[in-house]
Amino acid sequence: MPHRPAFHLAVPVDDLVAARGFCGQVLGLSEGRSADHWVDWNLEGHQLVTHLVPTVPQPAGTSVVGQHRVPIPHYGLLLPEQSFHQFAERLRAARVRFDIEPHRRFPGEPGEQWTMFFRDPAGNALEFKSFREESMVFAR
């Protein structure tokens, strides 16, 4: 597999204790460096940083994808299918409320995928998905 560069994403949170519980225990991410107002997380080799801010920005809105209105902005990972379903069960066990329950989107089409949307305690939207075939991620 060719090397893929890692991304860095910083998201606002209004409670670092809640962010630590969610990122560390619910999502299962390992904690990296931190200070009194931010925490680095290892998101499958990508750097996710939760930054403490006095007020979390409101979502920009929604966009229609398939038959759902998805929250914008959002972020997440593309997972292998088995990992996707295991992760969904982990979220259910932690009683995470889904904005959009795990489901198959675009069945039989080039971009067929499993997807789910949920929010962290600060209201940031996350989407985790799994493509039937990774080569179809950018298929038209």
Side-chain angles (χ1 to χ4, degrees):
M1 176 185 252
H3 170 73
R4 292 184 184 175
F7 71 82
H8 163 86
L9 175 65
V11 297
V13 299
D14 56 356
D15 183 337
L16 278 181
V17 172
R20 276 193 163 101
F22 183 79
C23 290
Q25 292 153 7
V26 175
L27 299 183
L29 308 182
S30 59
E31 185 175 329
R33 295 173 297 130
S34 66
D36 62 349
H37 58 284
W38 57 268
V39 180
D40 279 346
W41 299 98
N42 180 353
L43 182 63
E44 295 289 328
H46 304 285
Q47 185 186 38
L48 172 65
V49 186
T50 49
H51 280 274
L52 185 61
V53 296
T55 330
V56 177
Q58 294 300 307
T62 61
S63 181
V64 175
V65 180
Q67 302 203 7
H68 291 95
R69 289 192 131 327
V70 302
I72 305 296
H74 62 263
Y75 70 94
L77 289 177
L78 306 180
L79 301 171
E81 187 171 343
Q82 182 177 357
S83 298
F84 173 90
H85 293 294
Q86 289 170 341
F87 186 59
E89 288 309 311
R90 177 187 188 114
L91 295 173
R92 284 187 179 104
R95 298 198 159 133
V96 169
R97 187 182 70 78
F98 292 98
D99 285 17
I100 300 173
E101 289 280 337
H103 71 284
R104 188 182 310 264
R105 181 164 55 192
F106 310 129
E109 296 181 36
E112 181 177 327
Q113 61 195 257
W114 283 93
T115 183
M116 62 180 142
F117 284 83
F118 56 95
R119 295 179 189 269
D120 70 11
N124 295 302
L126 291 87
E127 176 187 18
F128 282 70
K129 58 170 76 175
S130 175
F131 281 82
R132 181 172 44 95
E133 295 179 37
E134 187 176 353
S135 65
M136 294 281 124
V137 171
F138 298 108
R140 292 176 167 218

